[in-house]
Amino acid sequence: ILPLQEAIQEEARANIVGEYGEGAVKLVLELQFQDTDGDGSTTATKDSPALNTRLDILLWTDTPHAVWTLLEQVDRHVWEGAKIHWSPDQPILELTPTRDDPLQRGKLEFAEIIPNHRHWHGAWTVGIREDPETAKLQLFMNLQDNAEFQEHETCVGRVLAGFDTLQRVLSATRQDVEGDQEVAPTVTIRQASAMHVTKRELGLTR
């Protein structure tokens, strides 16, 4: 099994380099926020100034199979319209697609676990898993060090930029549940894209 996993990982690494070039890659999420009116309904604010609406996630090369699977879905626009949900009593923020993968290829063949990784599921890292209810891929963002609880889940990166946006997300998604009644999500992903990361963004230049 291990040689097969290694072959899948090497192919994924080659695909990432072939598509994005050598070096780091980031996932860019442009978010759509909604304001809650006095009557409890929600009104989209896409025509208002786009302040604090972007999250940049640095993707790791340690888990190439999961990263490439995610990047393929981004290219197929699967993540556009995804719901973002957070319960204040939970240590993770969940990002769940509402669209089906047109090629039905959003599956993880195996979990990529990196023992002793110093950032493994630490605060502001991003994991990926299959939602047991929908069988779709789901991203989750660790809001604290969750290494003890998520050690068997694949971790694909960390937040690189957009902490003001993240704070806005946490404030907005408190409205996702009113008592026992599910309401329309207050934050969704308007657009998802991926691109090469510059050395300046990584703090490698003066």
Side-chain angles (χ1 to χ4, degrees):
I1 297 177
L2 288 178
L4 178 59
Q5 291 182 359
E6 291 174 357
I8 292 174
Q9 288 178 312
E10 287 305 313
E11 181 180 6
R13 284 193 185 94
N15 288 334
I16 293 170
V17 172
E19 184 71 22
Y20 299 97
E22 294 282 356
V25 177
K26 67 179 178 180
L27 173 65
V28 178
L29 302 179
E30 293 286 351
L31 307 184
Q32 174 71 57
F33 288 81
Q34 294 178 326
D35 290 332
T36 301
D37 296 333
D39 60 359
S41 63
T42 55
T43 304
T45 58
K46 64 181 180 180
D47 295 327
S48 61
L51 298 175
N52 300 334
T53 60
R54 173 169 165 162
L55 271 176
D56 289 14
I57 298 170
L58 176 66
L59 300 175
W60 290 337
T61 58
D62 306 78
T63 52
H65 167 56
V67 167
W68 179 242
T69 302
L70 173 62
L71 290 173
E72 283 191 305
Q73 283 202 334
V74 168
D75 189 56
R76 294 194 289 271
H77 307 286
V78 173
W79 287 87
E80 293 174 9
K83 299 178 181 179
I84 300 179
H85 176 76
W86 176 58
S87 295
D89 60 341
Q90 296 296 317
I92 61 172
L93 183 76
E94 296 177 331
L95 297 81
T96 306
T98 57
R99 298 183 180 184
D100 293 326
D101 189 324
L103 299 184
Q104 297 184 342
R105 286 166 53 186
K107 300 289 184 181
L108 298 179
E109 300 297 333
F110 51 90
E112 292 171 285
I113 309 300
I114 313 299
N116 303 317
H117 192 296
R118 65 191 183 100
H119 296 302
W120 196 252
H121 291 294
W124 318 124
T125 58
V126 178
I128 191 169
R129 62 191 178 194
E130 291 184 13
D131 186 330
E133 294 184 3
T134 66
K136 295 179 180 178
L137 287 185
Q138 180 186 66
L139 290 175
F140 60 93
M141 187 174 298
N142 293 294
L143 304 178
Q144 63 181 38
D145 187 340
N146 289 323
E148 180 181 354
F149 310 106
Q150 307 288 354
E151 60 179 334
H152 299 300
E153 303 276 9
T154 300
C155 199
V156 293
R158 64 174 174 84
V159 176
L160 180 65
F163 285 95
D164 289 344
T165 299
L166 183 56
Q167 184 58 53
R168 186 181 176 195
V169 169
L170 296 177
S171 296
T173 51
R174 289 176 185 273
Q175 305 170 30
D176 275 358
V177 177
E178 295 180 350
D180 296 327
Q181 296 293 319
E182 286 279 344
V183 296
T186 55
V187 189
T188 55
I189 297 175
R190 183 177 63 83
Q191 184 177 36
S193 58
M195 62 193 69
H196 188 267
V197 181
T198 65
K199 291 183 178 180
R200 182 179 298 276
E201 289 177 283
L202 294 175
L204 300 179
T205 59
R206 296 182 180 178

